[in-house]
Amino acid sequence: MSLFSEASTPGLSPVDYERKLAARDKTIDVLKRRIAQEARHSHATPFAILEQNVGLEKVVARKTMELENERHELEKALAELRLAQIQLLQAQKMESIGQLAAGIAHEINTPTQYVSDNVGFIKGATDSLLKLLNAALALADVARDQMADDPAMAEFDTMLKRTKIDFLRRQIPGALDESLEGLEHIARIVAAMKEFSHPSKNVKEMLDVRDVINTTVTVARNEWKYVAELETHIADNLPQLPCLRDMVGQAILNLVVNAAHAIADTLQEGVKEKGRIVISALQNGEYVEIRIQDDGSGIPAAIRDRIFDPFFTTKAVGKGTGQGLAIVYSTVVDKHNGKIRCESEEGVGSTFILQFPLNCRTEDEPACK
């Protein structure tokens, strides 16, 4: 049985793979010791010993090459297994978040709804009261000439000054409008979080890409709003896409967060206060193409070929795990049979292009519904 077939055996853990790697490394040492022992105990002529050693060295060289190839295959299998475990944990986490989000949405939406209804009622009542107040002030202006010496009129004018009625008439309607807008924003955030974390259960569904982009932008707002202006350009005639909704949302989220971090590294007070992130989507032949563009620090040419490798990161320890782009790649290429590429220039910015096929092939892809 080849090493690769062993590495593909179901149920093996990363510890099993690491143990196999260590065992393979010992094989070469055993072969070398065997050569040395045979040379010490042999009574053959020097030429025969030399001929035997040359033959054994060829065997060792061949075995070394085979073991090195197998080591690479095993290391690749180990990295793939680790990534699969990460994706499984991510899927489980997303499902848990989805369950929590549903409950949180209910808990927040219920009070938000009745607060919104009450503020709406107060706004309507305030409009009526302001109309009545305007009529009363007009009446007071008429009566003031006739009641100039009346203490009641003097007290009324004093109260008008104390209450700063003109200021209140200007500010109350705006304050109520802002309150209603804030409540609507809360509702949108909760709805976006619930929609974003809804688990797909490995079943593809027809998706409006505009919805998933807008939802992801809302969820990631806290990451980009302080460092960048974000624009979306989505084609009006974009067809629905068969995909795993939660994984596509996660891929876009990872790229938006990366873009925000790349821009943050370039900001300088008085020189560059904010950057720019542009998310666009259009149909490109048989694909839906999503682009995430930023004007951040860009990716050095020396590492561009490695950015999608599992566990590869240039961030400081504790700030990056090297999983984000690997998961993006797996989502696009492995889960959807799509294509992904990166165009980047150091010091200028980066653009990630994701292409998802519009056809859904149930034979070798997750099921569609």
Side-chain angles (χ1 to χ4, degrees):
M1 179 182 291
S2 72
L3 178 61
F4 184 74
S5 61
E6 290 179 27
S8 302
T9 304
L12 290 181
S13 67
V15 175
D16 295 324
Y17 283 132
E18 289 166 353
R19 187 167 55 249
K20 285 180 176 292
L21 283 173
R24 294 304 188 270
D25 288 340
K26 292 179 181 178
T27 302
I28 295 175
D29 293 333
V30 171
L31 288 171
K32 289 180 178 178
R33 287 198 299 270
R34 189 174 297 168
I35 292 172
Q37 289 172 358
E38 289 182 2
R40 285 196 299 269
H41 295 93
S42 173
H43 299 291
T45 65
F47 181 79
I49 293 173
L50 177 61
E51 189 177 46
Q52 184 182 44
N53 285 346
V54 169
L56 286 173
E57 286 176 0
K58 288 181 178 179
V59 172
V60 170
R62 187 176 69 253
K63 288 294 183 182
T64 301
M65 183 177 295
E66 291 175 357
L67 288 170
E68 189 62 25
N69 291 336
E70 290 177 344
R71 164 181 276 278
H72 288 317
E73 291 178 356
L74 196 54
E75 287 176 342
K76 181 181 178 182
L78 180 59
E80 290 175 350
L81 177 59
R82 285 174 173 164
L83 181 59
Q85 289 178 329
I86 291 168
Q87 290 177 322
L88 177 60
L89 290 173
Q90 179 69 18
Q92 292 172 340
K93 181 173 69 174
M94 291 296 290
E95 185 169 359
S96 298
I97 290 174
Q99 294 171 353
L100 288 172
I104 292 172
H106 177 73
E107 292 297 324
I108 294 179
N109 277 339
T110 300
T112 298
Q113 185 60 53
Y114 64 67
V115 170
S116 181
D117 291 343
N118 288 340
V119 173
F121 166 75
I122 292 172
K123 176 177 170 55
T126 300
D127 290 341
S128 298
L129 290 173
L130 287 175
K131 290 178 181 177
L132 178 61
L133 176 61
N134 292 336
L137 291 174
L139 181 61
D141 289 339
V142 173
R144 189 171 284 109
D145 293 337
Q146 301 175 4
M147 302 173 62
D149 298 328
D150 193 314
M153 180 57 69
E155 184 178 356
F156 178 77
D157 288 338
T158 300
M159 288 296 296
L160 281 178
K161 292 179 181 179
R162 286 178 181 175
T163 55
K164 300 180 180 178
I165 196 65
D166 289 337
F167 173 79
L168 294 178
R169 290 163 70 189
R170 292 193 306 271
Q171 296 300 318
I172 287 176
L176 291 172
D177 287 338
E178 288 180 0
S179 297
L180 286 171
E181 183 179 343
L183 290 166
E184 290 173 0
H185 187 55
I186 291 172
R188 286 196 300 271
I189 291 173
V190 173
M193 188 62 191
K194 181 180 178 182
E195 189 69 27
F196 178 82
S197 57
H198 178 69
S200 62
K201 298 186 183 299
N202 208 36
V203 176
K204 289 186 177 180
E205 57 183 292
M206 301 305 293
L207 174 69
D208 186 337
V209 173
R210 183 186 305 272
D211 288 344
V212 75
I213 289 176
N214 290 338
T215 296
T216 305
V217 166
T218 300
V219 171
R221 180 178 173 80
N222 196 58
E223 291 286 343
W224 58 261
K225 69 177 181 179
Y226 300 108
V227 298
E229 301 293 341
L230 190 147
E231 304 172 15
T232 59
H233 303 289
I234 304 170
D236 293 332
N237 59 344
L238 197 63
Q240 289 197 324
L241 175 69
C243 66
L244 302 172
R245 182 188 186 99
D246 53 351
M247 297 197 72
V248 172
Q250 183 68 48
I252 297 173
L253 177 69
N254 288 355
L255 293 174
V256 170
V257 171
N258 281 359
H261 291 175
I263 289 171
D265 292 339
T266 67
L267 298 185
Q268 188 176 350
E269 188 174 355
V271 179
K272 182 181 179 182
E273 301 287 346
K274 270 193 171 184
R276 184 167 175 258
I277 299 173
V278 179
I279 304 175
S280 59
L282 51 80
Q283 183 176 356
N284 185 353
E286 296 300 315
Y287 294 88
V288 166
E289 183 174 286
I290 301 173
R291 290 176 174 248
I292 295 91
Q293 179 183 3
D294 67 73
D295 61 351
S297 54
I299 302 170
I303 65 170
R304 281 177 207 156
D305 292 340
R306 302 175 60 196
I307 59 174
F308 295 117
D309 291 350
F311 314 109
F312 176 77
T313 179
T314 58
K315 294 182 180 178
V317 175
K319 293 188 176 181
T321 62
Q323 301 165 13
L325 288 179
I327 289 176
V328 173
Y329 181 91
S330 178
T331 295
V332 178
V333 178
D334 299 332
K335 300 296 184 182
H336 293 87
N337 285 324
K339 303 175 184 178
I340 183 170
R341 71 180 190 275
C342 173
E343 298 173 354
S344 185
E345 183 177 348
E346 194 169 3
V348 176
S350 303
T351 301
F352 284 84
I353 301 100
L354 319 181
Q355 293 183 320
F356 295 93
L358 285 165
N359 62 316
C360 184
R361 296 173 296 178
T362 55
E363 295 84 358
D364 54 0
E365 294 184 24
C368 300
K369 69 174 183 178

